[in-house]
């Protein structure tokens, strides 16, 4: 255990967390972090209990308030999260990834699971179970280490229902851990040591029959037969008085063995062997693992627990996802808990009629004349607590389902654990999907990358093949890229790790475009499907019907996720009529070939694993790929064109969201359009649909790549009097406008000016007043950024007039808002109010959220400077809401900066610092250097108010360096 308070696991690179006791956090230096009031602790507990999934504000509200929800619940959650961030991400970490982040509207803690004591406890418990039979002394030490992590009742002090449920589960595991440790001590021959511990545990849990059994054996072996019988009678009375039950058969048989002084009680050994008073149980001879079990923390234990509650559990998932290995680990835990486990490998079996025979051979049952073989197997297992592991059922589904159904109906204590690429479809079946291993995000820091399950597996297998291999700060991103390209599939990772023994990591990553040839033959022995990646995928594809296979090949054209409408548009044809696509797609999901990801509101998107997609593309017929890519691009041009018609109106947010969901498809369509054999005209039309989306989402570098490709595509030989290319001006003007805007967002003012100048010439030559006004507005913004305020004012005024004359109300509102800001910065309140109110009126008339947000933002800044601070807070809140509707992060950061200034003016330094810090984080994330400089200056002002001159000077110095770098002076 690391430093800090007992029971809280610590590491040197970030805080660690304790749930096994009062909720606690320990800093990297080992000191306890002050978590603050109970609600903040409850929020932290909820985020840790739901680690990995993240929680929305609404979900947190539902967890924290079950009955009466106060109107300010959302605000209280936001405040609690802000307080936790201040505690967990102290000053000095601003350049590093956050610990408590917001992703997709969800708060998520980016914490290595091993830095949470509950996760460490479950891992040690699983390790202790595994070692129980083979190394009982090691098991005892491991289980003792697990128990030492506890500091009191789990989640003590957090009273919400979610905490009670989680605490009940962990408290039960704590008792189980203590029972297993007693078992390990008995197996190690230390029966005298067990007595006191078992008596204490039984006092606290007087109905635990397993503890009573351990105590009885320990007392008997210590020559205390009468006391062993007394322990039995005490538990029997307690069970009768409190629960109206009698002891179970195992405990009753143990009592009988004590009474007759059975010789089996005299030898050291497990309680479960002697308690039954019967010969040792049969073993199913589970195959020995070839390597350590890595990843899926706690999954095997959860499946073993599920198998204790349900008689049929199926692990379903794509080939290579690790279903068999996870099932074996779960079966071992069931075996450790007393079950007889029988492993039935069905991959080599190709005849459905031989499934029953294969099961019988695994169980050791022989056919009886005149008796059905299933009945013989059921009779052989009759009365036994048995688990039948049916491995690889997908090619024999009907036969496997029939055997499982028959055994579950006739052998009352038999349970079935199956692995299959699709469920068996038997009533009562509990299906647990097994997908790829989790991956860290790029840029999360090398320690977090090294700690994610996929990278841990790759590193463990690579170290086995090439001793000394380790994930380091230098290679972590490259290892993550390999794991990401291989979808986090355990089989693919193990094959790639084997290749890493003879190939530099950079070369391995560079050659993954040909992954099937690269990884062929990387492993030997065992299942032939696991000798390479292609056989594993081909096995799944070969099980599909002709129509399903045809649909899969068409779906491979999608580079990422897709919705049902897109699948129906591009998947129909040949053996798959348009009306059958949805059902065929559902069957592909059922067979684990396609994944369905749920979305809020009941929606969902489908996706192929990259490995499946590449395999499908590798078997495309000659010429099929070109036709599919053309259809794909044309379809998404239609979707983008439909969205573009709604982007400058009310409710544009949902259309921007739709474009964002389609972003991988749009990139692929652009790549095809501007590539060899593509359609450049289609590419130009697509660029004209997407520039606004790129600007709002801050994807300006990507947008400029395609905008300039489109400009090259519409160029002509004709030149105007100024030497400017005037070929196809109707196409060039919107593209030049997009280029100027995107360059402006990157503070590339020379390029902005060049594009705006060309646009101005073309617009004036063609009488395009709106295009002229847009170019003038761009030139005005550049002049303002360079401190040429008089020039900027004149240009903005001319721009607004031209835009209104040309009927472009949206751009006019945007230019007026900027002009209002300029008047504000020049200290001209009357002109600023006039123009800003006119901007809001035009924005409301246009109905688009960005323009409305910008106008409200400017009006809030005027109230902050010359008006009512309360009204300023109200207006900036409205502006933030408008920006967030269209996910305009730059506007959000600007409004947060203004909120910081408003709070600072009101003397609320804490709120001001929090707002400036959030503003700085967003500006840095989107690469807006001028905005980041302004946020640093805001933080300097907060430090100055707190009389921290040194910090203020450092912050101002950092801001000045940024402004010098981009050539933007500090506003007056």
């Amino acid at each position: 255990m690391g430093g800090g308070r007992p029971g809280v696991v610590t590491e040197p690179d970030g805080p660690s967390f304790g749930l096994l006791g009062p909720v606690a956090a320990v800093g990297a230096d080992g000191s306890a972090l002050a978590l603050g009031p109970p609600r903040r602790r409850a929020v932290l507990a909820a985020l840790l209990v739901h680690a990995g999934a993240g929680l929305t504000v609404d979900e947190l509200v539902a967890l924290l308030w079950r009955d009466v929800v106060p109107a300010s619940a959302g605000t209280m959650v936001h405040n609690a999260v802000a307080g936790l961030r201040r505690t967990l991400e102290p000053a000095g970490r601003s350049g590093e990834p956050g610990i408590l982040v917001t992703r997709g509207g969800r708060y998520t803690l980016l914490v290595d699971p091993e830095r949470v004591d509950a996760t460490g406890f479950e891992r040690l418990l699983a390790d202790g179970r595994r070692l129980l039979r083979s190394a009982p002394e090691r098991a005892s030490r491991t289980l003792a280490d697990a128990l030492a992590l506890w500091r009191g009742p789990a989640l003590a002090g957090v009273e919400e229902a979610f905490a009670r449920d989680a605490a009940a589960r962990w408290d039960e595991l704590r008792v189980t851990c203590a029972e297993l440790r007693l078992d390990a001590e008995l197996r190690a021959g230390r029966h005298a040591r067990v007595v006191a511990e078992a008596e204490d545990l039984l006092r606290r849990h007087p109905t635990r029959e397993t503890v009573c059994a351990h105590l009885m054996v320990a007392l008997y072996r210590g020559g205390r037969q009468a006391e062993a019988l007394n322990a039995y009678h005490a538990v029997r009375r307690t069970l009768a008085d409190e629960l109206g039950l009698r002891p179970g058969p195992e405990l009753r048989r143990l009592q009988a063995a004590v009474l007759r002084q059975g010789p089996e009680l005299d030898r050291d050994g497990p309680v479960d062997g002697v308690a039954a008073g019967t010969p040792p149980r049969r073993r199913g001879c589970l195959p020995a693992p070839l390597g350590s079990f890595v990843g899926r923390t706690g999954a095997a234990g959860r499946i073993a627990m599920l198998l204790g509650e349900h008689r049929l559990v199926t692990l379903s998932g794509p080939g290579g996802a690790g279903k068999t290995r996870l099932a074996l680990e779960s079966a071992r835990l069931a075996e450790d808990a007393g079950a007889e486990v029988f492993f039935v490998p069905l991959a080599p079996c190709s005849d459905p009629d031989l499934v029953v025979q294969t099961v019988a051979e695994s169980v050791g049952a022989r056919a009886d004349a005149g008796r059905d073989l299933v009945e013989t197997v059921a009779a052989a297992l009759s009365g036994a607590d048995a688990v039948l592991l049916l491995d690889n059922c997908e090619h024999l589904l009907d036969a496997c389902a029939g055997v499982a159904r028959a055994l579950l109906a006739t052998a009352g204590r038999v349970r079935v654990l199956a692995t299959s690429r699709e469920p068996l479809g038997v009533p009562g079946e509990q299906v647990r999907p097994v997908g790829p291993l989790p991956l860290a995000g790029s840029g999360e820091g090398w320690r977090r990358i090294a700690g994610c399950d996929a990278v841990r597996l790759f590193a463990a297998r690579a170290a086995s093949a090439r001793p000394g291999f380790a994930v380091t700060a230098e290679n972590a991103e490259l290892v993550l890229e390999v794991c990401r390209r291989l979808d986090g599939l355990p089989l693919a990772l193990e094959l790639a790790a084997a290749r890493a023994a003879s190939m530099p990591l950079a070369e391995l990553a560079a050659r993954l475009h040909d992954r099937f040839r690269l990884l062929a033959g990387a492993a030997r022995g065992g299942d032939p499907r696991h000798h390479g990646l292609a056989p594993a995928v081909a096995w799944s594809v070969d099980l599909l019907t002709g129509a399903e296979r045809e649909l899969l090949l068409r779906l491979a054209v999608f580079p990422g996720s897709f919705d049902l409408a897109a699948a129906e548009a591009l998947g129909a044809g040949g053996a798959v009529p348009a009306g059958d696509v949805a059902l065929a797609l559902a069957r592909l999901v059922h067979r684990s070939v396609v994944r369905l990801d749920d979305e809020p509101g009941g929606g969902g998107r489908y996706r192929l694993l990259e490995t499946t997609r590449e395999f499908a593309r590798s078997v495309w017929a000659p010429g099929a790929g070109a036709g599919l890519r053309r259809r794909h691009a044309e379809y998404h041009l239609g979707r983008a064109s439909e969205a573009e018609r709604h982007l400058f109106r009310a409710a544009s947010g949902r259309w921007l969201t739709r474009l964002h969901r389609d972003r991988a498809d749009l990139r692929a369509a652009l790549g095809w359009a501007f590539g060899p054999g593509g359609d450049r005209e289609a590419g130009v039309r697509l660029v004209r649909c997407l520039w606004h989306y790129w600007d709002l989402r801050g994807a300006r570098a990507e947008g400029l790549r395609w905008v300039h490709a489109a400009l090259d595509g519409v160029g002509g030989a004709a030149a105007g009097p100024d030497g400017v290319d005037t070929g196809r001006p109707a196409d060039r003007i919107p593209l030049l406008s997009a280029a100027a805007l995107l360059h402006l967002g990157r503070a590339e003012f020379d390029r902005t000016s060049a594009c705006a100048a060309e646009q101005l010439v073309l617009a004036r030559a063609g009488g395009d007043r709106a295009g002229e006004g847009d170019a003038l507005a761009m030139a005005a913004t550049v002049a303002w950024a360079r401190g040429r305020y008089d020039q900027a004012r004149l240009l903005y005024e001319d721009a607004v007039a031209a835009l209104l004359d040309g009927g472009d109300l949206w751009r006019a509102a945007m230019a007026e808002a900027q002009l209002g800001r300029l008047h504000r910065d020049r200290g001209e309140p009357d002109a600023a109010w006039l123009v800003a109110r006119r901007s809001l009126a035009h924005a409301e008339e246009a109905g688009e959220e960005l323009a409305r947000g910008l106008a409200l933002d400017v009006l809030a800044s005027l109230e902050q400077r010359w008006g009512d601070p309360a009204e300023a807070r109200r207006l900036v809140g409205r502006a933030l809401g408008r920006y967030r509707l269209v996910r305009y992060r730059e506007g959000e950061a600007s409004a947060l900066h203004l909120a910081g200034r408003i709070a600072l003016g009101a003397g609320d330094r804490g709120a001001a610092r929090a707002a400036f810090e959030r503003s700085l984080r967003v500006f840095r994330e989107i690469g807006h250097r001028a905005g980041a400089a302004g946020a640093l200056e805001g933080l300097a002002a907060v430090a100055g108010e707190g009389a921290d001159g040194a910090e203020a000077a450092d912050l101002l110095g950092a801001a000045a360096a940024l402004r010098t770098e981009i050539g933007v002076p500090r506003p007056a």
Side-chain angles (χ1 to χ4, degrees):
M1 192 183 306
R5 286 193 290 175
V8 182
V9 182
T10 63
E11 289 190 8
D13 62 332
S16 301
F17 300 92
L19 298 175
L20 304 181
V23 177
V26 171
D29 61 355
S31 61
L33 300 179
L35 295 177
R39 184 171 296 113
R40 200 176 295 172
R41 293 175 181 270
V43 169
L44 177 60
L47 292 171
L48 288 167
V49 168
H50 296 84
L55 293 168
T56 65
V57 172
D58 289 342
E59 289 168 342
L60 280 166
V61 168
L63 291 174
L64 269 58
W65 289 275
R66 277 297 179 96
D67 299 320
V68 180
V69 179
S72 59
T75 301
M76 287 189 274
V77 166
H78 283 300
N79 291 340
V81 170
L84 287 173
R85 278 184 174 141
R86 287 193 296 272
T87 299
L88 302 178
E89 301 171 13
R93 289 181 52 92
S94 58
E96 302 178 22
I99 294 168
L100 206 175
V101 302
T102 306
R103 288 180 171 173
R106 292 178 174 272
Y107 290 125
T108 303
L109 275 170
L110 298 180
V111 178
D112 183 339
E114 290 301 312
R115 293 213 303 268
V116 182
D117 61 359
T119 305
F121 166 74
E122 291 195 38
R123 178 182 59 77
L124 290 169
L125 174 58
D127 290 346
R129 283 185 192 271
R130 180 171 50 82
L131 294 167
L132 194 61
R133 297 183 185 281
S134 60
E137 293 193 2
R138 284 181 58 199
S140 178
R141 291 194 298 271
T142 301
L143 294 165
D145 288 343
L147 292 170
L149 293 173
W150 286 77
R151 297 167 288 114
L155 295 166
V158 182
E159 301 300 329
E160 285 74 12
F162 80 88
R164 292 196 297 273
D165 293 343
R169 175 177 171 272
W170 282 322
D171 287 338
E172 173 64 24
L173 290 178
R174 182 184 189 181
V175 179
T176 300
C177 185
E179 289 174 340
L180 288 171
R181 184 171 176 277
L182 295 177
D183 194 345
E185 289 285 276
L186 283 172
R187 291 172 188 270
R190 294 193 284 264
H191 50 267
R193 188 182 299 179
V194 167
V195 171
E197 294 182 20
E199 286 177 336
D200 178 65
L201 190 58
L202 196 58
R203 274 194 298 272
R204 289 182 281 122
H205 304 280
T207 61
R208 302 289 289 211
E209 294 186 46
T210 302
V211 179
C212 179
H214 290 312
L215 177 58
M216 289 173 67
V217 172
L219 288 167
Y220 183 88
R221 289 178 182 168
R224 301 158 69 178
Q225 178 182 352
E227 292 178 64
L229 293 171
N230 286 338
Y232 169 81
H233 291 301
V235 168
R236 185 184 66 178
R237 285 193 300 272
T238 302
L239 287 169
D241 293 344
E242 295 187 8
L243 303 176
L245 299 175
R246 59 183 299 204
E250 295 292 324
L251 200 59
R252 294 199 304 274
R253 281 195 287 267
L254 178 58
Q255 181 214 17
V258 171
L259 287 169
R260 61 181 169 80
Q261 298 184 355
E264 69 271 20
L265 293 174
D266 293 328
R267 63 176 182 266
D268 293 338
V271 169
D272 56 14
V274 299
T278 59
R281 294 192 313 269
R282 296 166 291 177
R283 289 288 165 189
C285 298
L286 290 174
L290 298 178
S292 59
F293 183 61
V294 179
R296 307 198 193 280
T297 304
R302 288 191 291 273
I303 292 165
M305 291 175 63
L306 188 68
L307 197 59
E309 300 166 0
H310 302 277
R311 297 187 61 208
L312 173 58
V313 177
T314 299
L315 307 185
S316 69
K323 300 183 295 296
T324 296
R325 186 59 192 276
L326 179 57
L328 288 170
E329 291 298 319
S330 305
R332 285 191 179 90
L333 295 180
E335 188 176 62
D336 289 344
E340 300 176 43
V341 178
F342 301 94
F343 178 65
V344 186
L346 294 169
C349 179
S350 58
D351 186 346
D353 293 335
L354 295 179
V355 170
V356 179
Q357 181 64 43
T358 306
V359 173
E361 290 172 359
S362 298
V363 170
R366 295 187 177 185
D368 291 337
R371 191 180 195 184
D372 187 87
L373 188 54
V374 172
E375 295 178 8
T376 302
V377 173
L381 297 175
S382 178
D385 179 14
V387 172
L388 203 63
L389 201 174
L390 302 178
D391 187 43
N392 288 301
C393 300
E394 55 272 350
H395 60 305
L396 302 162
L397 274 177
D398 290 341
C400 290
V403 169
R405 189 182 294 109
L407 290 177
L408 293 174
T410 55
R413 298 185 67 194
V414 169
R415 294 167 282 161
V416 176
L417 176 61
T419 72
S420 177
R421 301 191 189 188
E422 60 180 294
L424 301 187
V426 175
E429 178 182 27
Q430 297 293 309
V431 180
R432 286 299 176 267
V434 179
L437 291 172
L439 289 156
S442 180
E444 288 190 4
W446 79 269
R447 291 185 184 276
R448 286 183 183 146
I449 291 173
C452 75
D453 284 353
V455 171
R456 287 175 56 215
L457 177 61
F458 179 89
R461 300 299 185 258
S464 297
R466 193 171 89 193
F469 179 89
V471 180
T472 65
E474 290 71 30
N475 69 9
E477 288 286 350
L478 191 56
V479 173
L480 179 64
E481 175 64 12
V482 169
C483 296
R484 186 192 64 76
R485 292 283 307 281
L486 294 173
D487 301 304
L489 280 174
L491 173 62
L493 297 179
E494 296 197 355
L495 293 170
R499 278 283 177 260
S502 56
M503 182 178 289
L505 193 59
E507 285 294 322
L508 177 66
R511 295 171 186 266
L512 283 178
H513 64 279
D514 193 11
R515 67 191 66 195
F516 298 110
R517 192 157 65 94
L518 176 68
L519 302 181
R524 293 285 187 269
D527 190 338
R529 294 173 303 148
H530 295 167
H531 292 179
L533 197 54
V537 183
W539 171 267
S540 293
V541 174
D542 289 345
L543 294 174
L544 303 178
T545 66
E548 291 165 353
R549 188 174 189 274
E550 189 174 330
L551 176 60
L552 173 64
L553 297 185
R554 292 199 186 100
L555 296 179
V557 74
F558 292 105
S561 67
F562 51 92
D563 58 24
L564 181 57
E568 290 181 318
L570 297 177
V576 193
D580 291 350
V581 170
L583 290 177
L585 181 56
R587 289 196 297 271
L588 291 178
V589 173
H590 191 69
R591 293 175 183 264
S592 301
V593 176
V594 175
R595 293 182 61 185
L596 173 60
D597 298 330
D598 292 327
E599 291 188 322
R605 286 178 73 85
Y606 301 89
R607 71 174 65 245
L608 302 181
L609 294 179
E610 184 174 341
T611 297
T612 307
R613 180 168 56 251
E614 291 304 314
F615 180 85
R617 290 182 176 185
S618 73
V619 296
W620 273 346
L628 283 170
R629 287 190 173 99
R630 175 178 288 278
R631 284 182 60 194
H632 173 269
E634 290 172 348
Y635 174 75
H636 283 92
L637 172 59
R639 284 172 69 119
S641 298
E642 181 186 14
E644 194 269 343
R645 292 193 293 272
H646 296 83
L647 294 187
F648 302 97
R649 304 176 185 173
S652 62
R654 67 186 185 95
W655 295 95
L656 288 161
T657 298
R658 178 165 154 175
L659 289 175
H660 190 65
R661 287 174 177 157
D662 287 348
R663 62 193 180 279
D665 294 289
L666 296 169
R667 288 166 180 158
L670 287 164
W672 171 82
F674 289 111
D679 183 346
R680 295 174 76 84
E681 294 300 320
V684 169
R685 294 198 302 275
L686 194 50
V687 169
R688 290 183 59 174
C689 295
L690 296 178
W691 64 267
H692 184 54
Y693 162 74
W694 286 323
D695 182 54
L696 281 176
R697 292 301 169 99
R700 295 182 176 114
E702 177 184 1
L704 284 167
R705 172 192 173 191
W706 299 118
V707 168
H708 283 294
L711 282 167
D712 291 342
V714 300
D722 296 330
V724 174
D725 182 355
T726 58
R728 301 178 59 180
D731 286 326
R732 287 190 69 81
I733 287 174
L735 294 174
L736 288 166
S737 171
L741 179 67
L742 296 173
H743 281 304
L744 180 66
R746 290 165 56 87
E748 295 167 350
F749 299 129
D750 289 342
R751 303 198 70 178
T752 301
S753 296
C755 292
E758 181 181 350
Q759 179 184 345
L760 186 61
V761 169
L762 293 176
R764 283 176 172 168
D768 181 354
R769 287 287 282 160
E772 178 184 351
D774 180 48
L776 289 169
M778 289 294 128
T781 304
V782 172
W784 181 19
R786 288 175 167 167
R788 301 167 188 163
Y789 302 129
D790 290 337
Q791 180 188 7
R793 179 180 61 79
L794 294 173
L795 286 169
Y796 273 132
E797 289 172 351
D798 290 345
V800 171
L803 288 164
L804 291 173
D805 191 30
D808 194 335
L809 202 61
W810 180 79
R811 281 189 172 88
M814 299 287 285
E816 285 171 326
Q818 296 288 51
L819 180 56
R821 278 179 167 169
L822 178 61
H823 282 306
R824 177 200 67 198
D825 292 350
R826 286 165 61 90
E828 299 165 348
D830 292 340
W833 285 112
L834 178 66
V835 177
R837 286 172 179 146
R838 196 165 62 212
S839 169
L840 181 59
H842 285 147
E844 295 287 358
E845 189 176 347
E848 193 273 332
E849 304 299 351
L850 172 61
R852 297 164 85 177
L854 183 59
L856 289 166
D857 196 346
V858 174
L859 283 168
S861 72
L862 302 182
E863 291 286 358
Q864 183 265 335
R865 181 172 292 192
W866 294 305
D868 180 0
E871 178 66 6
R873 281 194 297 274
R874 187 184 72 82
L875 289 171
V876 80
R878 288 180 60 196
L880 267 170
R882 300 300 180 189
Y883 288 147
R884 286 169 175 162
L885 284 173
V886 292
R887 298 189 182 181
Y888 181 44
R889 302 208 70 206
E890 184 175 324
E892 180 183 354
S894 172
L896 286 168
H897 182 272
L898 177 56
R901 288 165 47 201
I902 294 169
L904 188 61
D908 190 344
R909 292 178 56 244
R913 178 182 289 278
F916 285 132
E917 286 176 344
R918 292 201 302 273
S919 173
L920 177 62
R921 185 177 297 124
V922 175
F923 275 132
R924 282 177 168 167
E925 287 172 357
I926 63 177
H928 196 297
R929 291 173 291 174
L936 288 168
E937 288 156 358
L939 287 170
V942 174
E945 290 286 332
D948 191 340
E951 182 185 2
D954 289 343
L955 291 165
L956 287 173
L962 266 181
R963 292 193 178 279
T964 300
E965 182 182 321
I966 59 178
V968 175
R970 185 176 180 182

